[in-house]
């Protein structure tokens, strides 16, 4: 009755016991309450995908988080106005469930974790890049347990000239974080390798410095008149914390939003610093191995349904795309590329 012919089975990328992945035939999953079934047009690959395949390794589960396509079936009790035939993109936690994962021909996903692609804006490939990178930026910047910044269009913008330091501006997460921070009214300072300075400036960064420069902390403090109190570290590793801690001013308390909890050597170094950790899957609701946070989920889905389409229509730039060939059968090549640290200012996508 959906108007789309849905097959009994489809192909999906399955995590294997030896940490490799393989394309296998799977039954089409039945949609439940507030769920939609999407025929996939494009998928995008994130670092978390190789971590789920090779480190977390739940054999038999479908890998992949981010995808786009056309809604072919809608369940009961939808919390958002989505319907069969809509072009959508969405994100979910892949590599933990045998029925759902983005690297497949059909994906079932909670409707409120999708968003409708406004006609005449993004291609399916561009829309697939939004998932984890943008959703994470939304929670790290606006989430109830993070920086809680004013959102684009809110009535309480920051004081003019307030700095936000986005560490790692050329990463997939960083590219969206810069744009959101600018739309929220902040002055943005960021770091990237020299080859990506033009890219981050094109996204709106006011200042960019090369994190490979041994003098980077001094340059950041000088350029901002030693006035940084808000940071989003989109990389969050032992090698990023010294630059961040060195760059925050120290005259009033600072908030640092991170994606991985720093070890005590960094976490306990400064009493005037509040560390705020984002783990995006807590906002995705009941999934295996994560704690859930309904408030985060509400912030995220409200953003996806009330703000994102307007921002996309208004010129929000998708991640720079690097297309890999071979579809689902060649996803291992993308995992290798990310493990080897080759991604620089780019997002790997496949057309399905
Ligand atoms: N906790 C969560 O919920 C969550 C959510 C999303 C992502 N993450 C994690 O966040 C990290 C970033 O994810 P992503 O998808 O944005 O990654 P990505 O796009 O694959 O990151 C690639 C970028 O990292 C930059 N980079 C590499 N080494 C760096 C260094 N030493 N200092 C600064 N930048 C460096 C590179 O910048 P240049 O090329 O300019 O040098 C490159 O553009 C990953 O570890 C991911 O697993 C966590």
């Amino acid at each position: 009755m959906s108007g789309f012919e849905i097959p009994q089975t489809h192909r999906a990328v399955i995590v294997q016991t030896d940490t490799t992945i393989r394309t296998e035939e799977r039954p089409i999953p039945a949609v439940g309450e507030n769920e939609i079934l999407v025929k996939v047009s494009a998928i995008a690959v994130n670092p978390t995908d190789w971590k789920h395949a090779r480190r977390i390794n739940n054999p038999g589960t479908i890998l992949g988080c981010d995808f786009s396509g056309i809604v072919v079936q809608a369940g009961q009790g939808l919390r958002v106005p989505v319907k069969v035939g809509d072009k959508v993109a969405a994100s979910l936690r892949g590599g933990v469930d045998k029925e759902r994962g983005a690297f497949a021909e059909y994906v079932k996903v909670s409707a409120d974790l999708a968003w409708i692609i406004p006609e005449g804006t993004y291609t399916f490939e561009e829309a697939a890049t939004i998932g984890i990178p943008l959703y994470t930026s939304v929670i790290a910047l606006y989430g109830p347990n993070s920086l809680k910044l004013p959102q684009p269009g809110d009535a309480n913008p920051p004081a003019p000239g307030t700095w936000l330091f986005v560490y790692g501006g050329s990463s997939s997460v960083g590219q969206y974080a810069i744009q959101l921070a600018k739309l929220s009214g902040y002055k943005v300072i960021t770091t990237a390798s020299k080859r990506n300075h033009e890219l981050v400036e094109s996204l709106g960064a006011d200042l960019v410095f090369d994190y490979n420069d041994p003098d980077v902390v001094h340059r950041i403090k000088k350029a901002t008149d030693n006035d940084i109190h808000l940071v989003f570290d989109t990389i969050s590793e032992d090698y990023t914390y010294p630059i961040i801690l060195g760059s925050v001013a120290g005259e009033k308390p600072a908030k640092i939003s991170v994606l991985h909890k720093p070890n005590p050597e960094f976490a306990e170094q400064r009493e005037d610093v509040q560390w705020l950790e984002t783990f995006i899957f807590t906002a995705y609701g009941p999934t295996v191995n994560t704690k859930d946070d309904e408030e985060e989920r509400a912030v995220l889905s409200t953003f996806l349904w009330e703000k994102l389409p307007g921002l996309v229509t208004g010129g929000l730039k998708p991640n720079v795309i690097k297309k890999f060939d071979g579809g689902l059968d060649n996803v291992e090549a993308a995992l290798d590329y990310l493990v080897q640290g080759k991604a620089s200012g780019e997002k790997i996508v496949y057309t399905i």
Side-chain angles (χ1 to χ4, degrees):
M1 288 138 296
S2 72
F4 287 89
E5 225 170 276
I6 302 170
Q8 301 268 306
T9 62
H10 69 135
R11 296 167 72 247
V13 174
I14 307 297
V15 176
Q16 306 293 312
T17 42
D18 64 359
T19 75
T20 61
I21 50 177
R22 202 168 59 208
T23 313
E24 293 178 8
E25 203 74 21
R26 283 293 167 101
I28 295 281
V31 292
E33 186 85 4
N34 187 43
E35 287 182 332
I36 50 174
L37 184 70
V38 178
K39 185 174 193 303
V40 176
S41 301
I43 59 170
V45 188
N46 291 284
T48 195
D49 297 322
W50 73 256
K51 292 173 190 172
H52 274 80
R54 299 182 183 180
R55 278 193 192 152
I56 297 170
N57 190 249
N58 290 308
T61 60
I62 305 177
L63 195 66
C65 300
D66 294 347
F67 66 102
S68 61
I70 296 175
V71 180
V72 293
Q73 200 177 31
Q76 301 292 313
L78 297 178
R79 289 186 219 146
V80 288
V82 63
K83 58 185 187 316
V84 169
D86 282 343
K87 290 180 180 173
V88 297
S91 185
L92 74 172
R93 186 178 189 184
V96 289
D97 190 315
K98 294 186 176 171
E99 277 204 322
R100 65 181 95 210
F103 300 166
E105 290 172 331
Y106 288 82
V107 181
K108 80 162 170 172
V109 65
S110 299
D112 61 318
L113 289 178
W115 58 280
I116 293 183
I117 308 164
E119 214 41 65
T121 58
Y122 286 9
T123 62
F124 280 122
E125 286 74 13
E126 289 171 334
T129 74
I130 284 272
I132 291 226
L134 178 121
Y135 291 23
T136 301
S137 294
V138 167
I139 293 301
L141 299 177
Y142 311 128
N145 310 311
S146 196
L147 296 179
K148 288 196 204 169
L149 305 182
Q151 294 194 19
D154 276 4
N156 57 336
T162 307
W163 285 106
L164 177 75
F165 180 13
V166 176
Y167 187 97
S170 66
S171 71
S172 294
V173 177
Q175 290 181 46
Y176 287 120
I178 289 172
Q179 296 182 82
L180 292 181
K182 287 303 292 181
L183 289 162
S184 282
Y186 289 86
K187 279 181 82 176
V188 172
I189 179 164
T190 192
T191 54
S193 291
K194 270 237 151 22
R195 63 177 170 272
N196 286 322
H197 282 199
E198 225 171 280
L199 166 67
V200 297
E201 281 165 353
S202 76
L203 301 173
D206 297 281
L207 289 174
V208 52
F209 292 96
D210 185 352
Y211 60 84
N212 299 298
D213 177 352
D215 216 16
V216 65
V217 169
H218 174 71
R219 288 184 201 282
I220 288 171
K221 282 177 104 70
K222 193 162 170 223
T224 56
D225 272 340
N226 193 24
D227 196 22
I228 293 177
H229 304 279
L230 292 170
V231 182
F232 175 24
D233 181 352
T234 75
I235 306 294
S236 301
E237 297 286 352
D238 282 357
Y239 49 81
T240 69
Y241 303 131
I243 296 179
I244 284 161
L245 283 167
S247 302
V248 294
E251 278 158 19
K252 53 182 185 185
K255 290 182 178 177
I256 302 181
S257 171
V258 290
L259 297 179
H260 308 119
K261 210 185 197 121
N263 67 42
E265 174 195 351
F266 301 109
E268 292 163 13
Q269 207 179 96
R270 296 259 303 255
E271 280 185 2
D272 57 343
V273 164
Q274 185 184 7
W275 296 90
L276 300 154
E277 189 191 4
T278 291
F279 181 59
I280 190 57
F281 299 134
T282 60
Y284 284 12
T287 42
V288 184
N289 295 333
T290 110
K291 76 180 172 50
D292 307 316
D293 190 310
E294 281 178 23
E295 230 187 312
E296 282 191 357
R297 171 67 162 262
V299 168
L300 179 59
S301 55
T302 303
F303 190 94
L304 297 178
W305 286 84
E306 293 181 9
K307 301 245 164 161
L308 185 58
L311 299 183
V312 166
T313 307
L316 186 84
K317 293 183 177 156
N319 278 178
V320 176
I321 281 172
K322 186 180 185 78
K323 257 192 172 197
F324 273 28
D325 294 329
L328 297 175
D329 294 324
N330 195 34
V331 168
E332 192 97 58
L335 304 191
D336 287 340
Y337 191 85
L338 294 183
V339 169
Q340 289 157 14
K342 290 185 180 165
S344 174
E346 64 200 357
K347 166 64 76 187
I348 299 174
V349 299
Y350 291 86
T351 303
I352 304 303

